[in-house]
Amino acid sequence: MAIKRDYSKSQLNQNFVAKNTKFRFRCTQCGECCRNVKKEDKILLSAVDIYRAAKYLNLEIQEFIGNYCDLVPGGESMLPLLVMKEHLDGSCIFLKKGKCTIYDVKPIPCSMFPLGRMMFLNDVTQEHEFHYYLEDFDCAAAKDTDVVVQDWLDRFEIEKYDECVKLYKRLGSVCSRLMHEAKSLQEQQEMFQTAFFLMYVKYDTGEELLPQLAQNLAFIQSIHPENGFVKN
């Protein structure tokens, strides 16, 4: 099972792996990382993960969320957060006979493992960039195969959705800020519902995802223009 680490930017600089870096790893599809994941280590689903999986299963977004997702508290962010439902034995709902049934479109954190990544603002370009690092793991994966980081990312077209992930994070940032600025319980409840709708529901798998994310971000900023995203 993956051991998740909370890296600061300075720590990440020491553990950073360039895209041409090789690491030794071969997934044996043991399914161990899909079972009995601790509460604090559960994969938080993004609009990108939900869109890809719903499209793969030929489901409407709301149907996918209702069938396969659980809502969990957002902690300090105050945001609605979604995780995969689990079987009674604690395994991921998509784990069947030890195999992932949405393997080709599994959530981005699952697809990248044993790589992790964080997003930082480039002080020179003022653009957000992803930095990659290697996770610790103690599953049945073998360490007998050399893998190039870029090749690993290409397997599931991870970088194809980078701009979508960045926009989704911007959308979440604005919604979180508005949640904190709500002046009453009713305002918080209304903002919570709005955030849930814009972050997860208001998407059509028959259309490209990036323009839809941009539209949702523009909508929330048009209502509260003072809460437009500020790079920091």
Side-chain angles (χ1 to χ4, degrees):
M1 185 179 299
I3 302 173
K4 297 193 174 181
R5 294 178 285 189
D6 294 323
Y7 282 125
S8 66
K9 187 173 182 180
S10 60
Q11 289 173 313
L12 183 64
N13 287 337
Q14 298 173 6
N15 293 279
F16 172 73
V17 289
K19 291 181 181 179
N20 61 356
T21 302
K22 289 183 179 180
F23 62 96
R24 297 186 68 79
F25 182 84
R26 178 171 57 84
C27 177
T28 59
Q29 296 189 38
C30 65
E32 183 61 30
C33 58
C34 308
R35 300 185 183 95
N36 301 315
V37 179
K38 295 179 181 178
K39 181 179 179 181
E40 62 271 19
D41 287 342
K42 290 186 183 298
I43 300 297
L44 297 178
L45 301 174
S46 70
V48 178
D49 299 319
I50 293 170
Y51 173 91
R52 294 172 72 222
K55 187 172 184 176
Y56 181 80
L57 296 172
N58 197 28
L59 295 175
E60 297 291 335
I61 295 291
Q62 286 179 287
E63 185 179 5
F64 179 87
I65 292 174
N67 290 344
Y68 300 112
C69 301
D70 280 333
L71 183 66
V72 297
E76 291 183 5
S77 74
M78 300 180 71
L79 291 173
L81 302 178
L82 291 178
V83 298
M84 291 293 195
K85 288 184 177 180
E86 297 178 341
H87 293 298
L88 292 177
D89 64 0
S91 61
C92 175
I93 195 169
F94 286 109
L95 189 67
K96 304 280 178 64
K97 297 181 179 179
K99 304 296 181 183
C100 176
T101 56
I102 58 167
Y103 184 79
D104 292 338
V105 294
K106 57 187 177 180
I108 288 176
C110 302
S111 300
M112 288 197 307
F113 183 78
L115 292 175
R117 71 178 181 181
M118 295 184 73
M119 189 173 75
F120 293 118
L121 181 67
N122 185 309
D123 295 331
V124 177
T125 65
Q126 291 298 297
E127 295 294 332
H128 284 92
E129 300 174 347
F130 287 110
H131 295 252
Y132 297 88
Y133 57 90
L134 280 172
E135 298 261 22
D136 291 329
F137 59 92
D138 57 4
C139 61
K143 296 182 179 180
D144 58 5
T145 304
D146 284 334
V147 184
V148 178
V149 169
Q150 184 65 67
D151 294 340
W152 196 252
L153 299 176
D154 290 343
R155 294 177 317 139
F156 295 101
E157 300 183 315
I158 300 299
E159 293 177 301
K160 175 182 176 180
Y161 291 94
D162 277 0
E163 294 308 310
C164 291
V165 173
K166 291 176 184 178
L167 273 188
Y168 175 76
K169 288 181 178 292
R170 290 173 63 179
L171 176 60
S173 176
V174 174
C175 289
S176 176
R177 194 176 308 164
L178 290 172
M179 284 291 296
H180 283 278
E181 292 177 357
K183 296 180 175 60
S184 66
L185 179 59
Q186 181 178 348
E187 285 187 10
Q188 279 190 355
Q189 291 173 337
E190 291 175 354
M191 188 58 229
F192 187 89
Q193 293 172 354
T194 300
F196 183 82
F197 184 66
L198 294 177
M199 291 177 65
Y200 303 111
V201 179
K202 194 177 181 296
Y203 300 98
D204 182 348
T205 58
E207 304 291 337
E208 291 295 322
L209 179 58
L210 187 62
Q212 297 182 77
L213 281 162
Q215 184 179 36
N216 288 354
L217 177 61
F219 174 78
I220 195 67
Q221 290 178 337
S222 70
I223 298 176
H224 302 278
E226 70 279 7
N227 284 285
F229 179 75
V230 178
K231 294 177 180 179
N232 48 41

